[in-house]
Amino acid sequence: MFQRVMRIFLGIALGVGAVFLVTTGVVVWKVKKYTSAWSATTHTSFSTVFSEVINGWKSTPTTVNGWKTMLILGLDEVPGRPTGESALTDTLMLLSVNIQTGKVVTISLPRDLWVDQYKTKINALYVYGHQKNPEQPESFPRDVIQDVSGLQIQHVVLVNLSTVAEVVDAIGGVDIEVERSFEDKKFPREGVDVMKERDPNILFETVSFNKGVEHMSGDRALKYIRSRQSMDEIEGTDEARIVRQQRALRAIAAAVFSPNTLRDPIKTGTMFLIYQKSFARMMPISEIAAMAHALLNRTANTKPDESPLTFLSRSLSIQDGKNVGVIVHPPTTKYSGQWVYAPVDPTWKGVREEVRRFHEE
C-alpha cells in the first residue's frame, strides 16, 4: 500500500514538475522572443532600458497632492508655413493624472486667450520663450499658464502634430468616434508655400468625415483634429476643434496603453523610438515608469482588456448672452482689432476656481 501511495505521489510530483518546467520554458522563450524583437526594432539594448525602467519603478513620481500635471504644447508645423522659433502653438492643453485613482483630466485652453500682462495671446508664448530663454523656451509658457490656471506644472510636453500621426501609425491606427458629420473645403494642403502661392485650388483640399466610429491612420487623424474651416456652424469653430482634439487624445491614449499594444514588441519598440526623438528631454523614462507603477498599483481591479485610466475632458466656460462663464469674447476694438478671449475676472480667480472644480468632479 505504501509503495502504491509513493508511486502515485511521485507521479503527481513528476507531472507537476514537468508542467512547471514546460510553463517556465514557454515563459522564458516568450520573454526572449519579445526582448529580441524589441531590440531589433529600436537598435537599443533592452536590458539597458529595462534597468532605467526598474530604477523608475522603485521610485515615487513627482506629484502635487497626488496629481501629476503636464502642459501640452501642440506645434502645427506644416511644410510651407512658419516653423521652429516662429511657430505658434495651435494646441494648448493641461493634462493632469491622479496616480491614486487613475483619473485623467484634460483642460483645453483657447489659443486666442489673451494675457494682458504680456499683451499677447497664449499661442505666442512659446515664440516669446525663445527670446527669453533660448535653451528652455518652454519655461515661459509653463510659468504663465501655471499662474493663470493655478496648477503646478511638473512637465511641459512639446508635440509637433506630425508626431501624433507617427504614434497613431505605430500602433496600427486608432478608432475615433466622429460625433457629427462635416466637410472642410479649406483644409491647408501640405507642401505649399503660402508666401508665394495664391491659388485656393492649390492652397487647400477638401476633407470630410461621417458620423460614427472610424479607424483612422495617422494622416487621417491629423486632418480630423486640425480641421477648423468647415461651413458647419458647430464643426467650423475653434471650440469644436478642441473637442475633437480631446476625443482623439483619449482614443490614442487608450490604444497606446491597451494590452494588445503593450504585448507587441514592434509597436512598443517603435513608440520608444518616437519617445527618444521627441519627448525624452522633457520627461525621463524613469519618471514615466514611476507613474506607471503607481497607477498599476492603484488600479489592480481593472479588467485585462481595459485601460487603467479614466478620462474627463473639459474646456473653460465661455460667457455670452445666454451662458455664464469664466472667459469672454470682448469687442475687438479693445485689442487692436484682434479676435481674442479674455478672463471675465482680470485677476484670473474665476479661471483658477473652475480649473480646481474640474479636478474635484
Side-chain angles (χ1 to χ4, degrees):
M1 181 69 178
F2 177 76
Q3 291 178 341
R4 183 182 177 188
V5 171
M6 287 301 295
R7 282 199 300 269
I8 293 173
F9 177 79
L10 182 60
I12 293 173
L14 289 173
V16 172
V19 170
F20 174 78
L21 289 173
V22 170
T23 302
T24 303
V26 170
V27 171
V28 170
W29 176 79
K30 285 186 175 181
V31 169
K32 286 185 176 180
K33 184 179 180 181
Y34 187 100
T35 58
S36 177
W38 192 91
S39 297
T41 301
T42 62
H43 305 290
T44 304
S45 167
F46 184 88
S47 59
T48 300
V49 176
F50 187 69
S51 65
E52 292 183 48
V53 171
I54 290 300
N55 288 335
W57 199 262
K58 297 175 180 178
S59 63
T60 303
T62 305
T63 61
V64 176
N65 297 324
W67 289 92
K68 176 179 280 295
T69 298
M70 291 158 270
L71 172 62
I72 299 175
L73 302 176
L75 289 174
D76 194 1
E77 294 187 323
V78 179
R81 290 164 173 78
T83 60
E85 296 180 11
S86 301
L88 300 175
T89 49
D90 273 5
T91 300
L92 297 99
M93 184 182 295
L94 288 163
L95 187 152
S96 298
V97 181
N98 189 314
I99 65 167
Q100 298 173 349
T101 64
K103 178 181 178 181
V104 180
V105 178
T106 61
I107 304 173
S108 292
L109 305 174
R111 63 179 189 165
D112 294 318
L113 187 60
W114 183 264
V115 183
D116 198 58
Q117 180 181 355
Y118 299 104
K119 307 299 180 185
T120 186
K121 299 178 183 181
I122 61 172
N123 68 338
L125 293 174
Y126 183 66
V127 175
Y128 293 128
H130 276 283
Q131 300 171 8
K132 294 176 176 291
N133 187 352
E135 297 300 319
Q136 292 184 315
E138 69 277 6
S139 62
F140 182 58
R142 179 201 63 209
D143 293 345
V144 175
I145 300 301
Q146 191 166 253
D147 182 51
V148 302
S149 70
L151 293 179
Q152 293 189 45
I153 299 170
Q154 285 83 46
H155 305 279
V156 180
V157 180
L158 189 66
V159 182
N160 192 314
L161 289 189
S162 62
T163 304
V164 175
E166 290 184 57
V167 172
V168 171
D169 287 334
I171 59 179
V174 64
D175 292 330
I176 298 177
E177 183 175 1
V178 179
E179 194 171 63
R180 180 185 175 95
S181 299
F182 67 95
E183 181 182 67
D184 182 350
K185 295 183 177 180
K186 291 187 176 181
F187 188 84
R189 197 186 299 273
E190 290 191 15
V192 180
D193 190 343
V194 296
M195 303 303 293
K196 298 179 179 179
E197 187 58 59
R198 292 293 180 267
D199 186 347
N201 293 321
I202 298 176
L203 286 169
F204 306 112
E205 63 177 308
T206 298
V207 297
S208 60
F209 294 87
N210 296 319
K211 181 178 179 179
V213 176
E214 179 181 336
H215 187 75
M216 299 187 188
S217 65
D219 179 68
R220 182 72 171 162
L222 269 193
K223 290 176 179 177
Y224 177 71
I225 65 178
R226 287 180 55 217
S227 173
R228 60 188 295 266
Q229 294 293 338
S230 173
M231 294 302 292
D232 185 281
E233 61 180 359
I234 294 178
E235 292 297 334
T237 65
D238 274 340
E239 289 75 23
R241 185 168 75 159
I242 285 174
V243 171
R244 290 198 302 272
Q245 289 171 349
Q246 291 177 332
R247 188 178 297 121
L249 178 64
R250 290 197 302 270
I252 293 169
V256 166
F257 288 103
S258 71
N260 287 337
T261 297
L262 297 178
R263 292 189 194 110
D264 189 322
I266 307 301
K267 290 180 179 179
T268 57
T270 303
M271 286 192 295
F272 175 77
L273 291 175
I274 296 172
Y275 161 78
Q276 285 285 78
K277 180 182 70 174
S278 303
F279 307 117
R281 181 181 68 84
M282 295 172 278
M283 184 178 289
I285 197 168
S286 57
E287 185 66 15
I288 295 175
M291 185 167 63
H293 187 207
L295 286 169
L296 289 173
N297 277 346
R298 288 161 176 78
T299 54
N301 295 325
T302 301
K303 294 180 181 179
D305 292 326
E306 289 183 348
S307 169
L309 307 175
T310 56
F311 290 85
L312 180 67
S313 299
R314 292 292 182 263
S315 300
L316 298 180
S317 58
I318 301 172
Q319 180 168 296
D320 53 28
K322 299 179 180 179
N323 303 297
V324 175
V326 297
I327 59 175
V328 65
H329 168 47
T332 58
T333 52
K334 292 185 178 181
Y335 299 89
S336 303
Q338 296 184 80
W339 200 104
V340 306
Y341 284 115
V344 173
D345 181 346
T347 68
W348 296 92
K349 181 180 178 180
V351 170
R352 296 187 191 112
E353 289 180 348
E354 185 164 80
V355 167
R356 178 180 53 79
R357 286 198 299 272
F358 290 158
H359 288 74
E360 294 175 348
E361 291 180 354

